[in-house]
Amino acid sequence: MTGTSSIKSAVAGLAILTLAGCGGSGSLGSIGSSPFGSIGSGIGTGGVEPTTRQAARASSSENVAVNRYLWAASLDVLDFLPVESVDPFTGVIDFGYGTPPGSGRAYRATVFISDPALDARALNLAIQTRGGPAAQETVRAVEDAILSRARQLRIRDGSL
């Protein structure tokens, strides 16, 4: 049981590092203006440690701002994967291993929605196979499917 827990922790850490490596768009502003801060900013932004920024984001529950269409589309497109954890306050959905229909390869994914806008820059996706990171073409195809589904949901709601 401890070995499985260590592997899950390592995979989760790798997914977070992968998402952090994507960097932020810089449009989120300071921590006070957004519950998400800037994920790609690293240490040294105003003397605030990353753990403090994380706590500041999580404590601002009244300022939750993730795009509901990207959130719902992520769950729709990746419905073949089991949901391990969700955190709407930080915009993270963590999926476990699952096999897509018509494929023999198992995947897992972590979705991070960083902005309330329906924008490609607000969607950060990390996909892994049991052998390591998925091919960039696979990640891009899933991102495109999530963005297309999010636009369909928005059009359906008549919000355009």
Side-chain angles (χ1 to χ4, degrees):
M1 198 62 142
T2 305
T4 303
S5 178
S6 298
I7 292 172
K8 285 184 178 181
S9 296
V11 170
L14 180 60
I16 290 170
L17 288 174
T18 302
L19 290 175
C22 294
S25 64
S27 64
L28 294 176
S30 67
I31 291 173
S33 66
S34 171
F36 302 119
S38 178
I39 294 300
S41 61
I43 298 175
T45 55
V48 179
E49 294 294 320
T51 54
T52 306
R53 285 197 314 268
Q54 178 64 30
R57 285 183 267 155
S59 67
S60 302
S61 62
E62 66 276 356
N63 293 331
V64 174
V66 296
N67 186 281
R68 67 180 178 151
Y69 300 113
L70 288 174
W71 187 270
S74 298
L75 293 171
D76 283 353
V77 170
L78 297 171
D79 67 346
F80 62 92
L81 299 176
V83 176
E84 288 188 350
S85 67
V86 295
D87 189 356
F89 299 105
T90 58
V92 176
I93 307 171
D94 189 28
F95 294 93
Y97 280 103
T99 306
S103 174
R105 178 175 279 177
Y107 295 94
R108 66 171 282 129
T110 301
V111 176
F112 173 60
I113 302 169
S114 62
D115 196 280
L118 179 53
D119 191 301
R121 292 173 290 190
L123 178 65
N124 296 292
L125 179 66
I127 300 178
Q128 293 182 329
T129 64
R130 294 196 189 272
Q136 188 60 36
E137 298 82 29
T138 303
V139 175
R140 181 69 56 169
V142 174
E143 285 176 345
D144 290 345
I146 291 171
L147 291 167
S148 294
R149 180 67 180 142
R151 288 184 193 104
Q152 290 171 354
L153 293 171
R154 184 172 180 199
I155 290 169
R156 187 187 70 194
D157 282 353
S159 298
L160 268 180

